[in-house]
Amino acid sequence: MDHIDENILRELIRDGRISNLDLAEKVGLSASACLRRVAALEKKGVIQGYRAVLNRPAMGVGFVAFAAVGLNSHTKASQEAFERAMAIAPEVVECHNITGAVEYLLRIEVADLPAYKSFHTDVVGTLPQVASITSYVVMGSPKDLRA
């Protein structure tokens, strides 16, 4: 990857629906050269897909929290069981296996505090491998580059 590829990626992160002609102009390439580079980045797996950025409040999501989850067993089976449970939980929009004092960091998006309490108590709280849950309520997100 060179600086032109990096510029292409930066522009696509800002606007994944930008036309090839506009993208080419912004990065200083001909339209055909730009199209070839984007196709090459897709083929290499650098660009894995394109997504819509959603307005969560407009969808009824008014509460976001991160939860640090510690497991009571550090076995592969315990981790796999937890990950399967999180994969099917619609409230969990991100699940990261991390290092440190706990094993997982979750991003949870729900309608409101009662919905979070229900998820905390009735979903995560019922998993036999969960030893601890520490919640961090998001007050605001001055920078969020996730697509």
Side-chain angles (χ1 to χ4, degrees):
M1 269 191 14
D2 60 16
H3 75 283
I4 295 173
D5 287 340
E6 291 170 357
N7 288 340
I8 288 171
L9 295 174
R10 192 173 303 108
E11 292 301 327
L12 287 173
I13 287 168
R14 280 188 216 148
D15 181 4
R17 293 182 59 142
I18 189 171
S19 73
N20 183 61
L21 193 58
D22 289 342
L23 179 60
E25 185 178 311
K26 286 183 181 269
V27 299
L29 292 175
S30 70
S32 59
C34 185
L35 190 59
R36 282 193 301 274
R37 281 187 179 248
V38 170
L41 289 165
E42 290 171 346
K43 186 174 181 173
K44 287 187 225 175
V46 174
I47 297 173
Q48 293 183 324
Y50 299 88
R51 293 176 177 86
V53 177
L54 306 177
N55 179 335
R56 299 293 187 190
M59 299 170 52
V61 174
F63 189 90
V64 178
F66 286 89
V69 180
L71 303 184
N72 56 23
S73 173
H74 303 286
T75 65
K76 183 176 180 179
S78 182
Q79 287 184 336
E80 288 174 345
F82 179 79
E83 289 172 11
R84 278 192 304 275
M86 295 305 97
I88 62 171
E91 302 89 348
V92 177
V93 296
E94 294 179 43
C95 176
H96 304 278
N97 184 217
I98 61 173
T99 63
V102 297
E103 286 73 35
Y104 289 92
L105 182 64
L106 309 177
R107 180 183 176 97
I108 299 135
E109 296 182 356
V110 293
D112 51 25
L113 181 59
Y116 180 71
K117 182 181 183 325
S118 176
F119 170 78
H120 182 284
T121 304
D122 300 333
V123 178
V124 181
T126 63
L127 297 174
Q129 61 273 25
V130 171
S132 66
I133 308 166
T134 304
S135 300
Y136 301 92
V137 175
V138 174
M139 303 288 287
S141 299
K143 182 175 184 179
D144 185 349
L145 298 178
R146 290 172 303 117

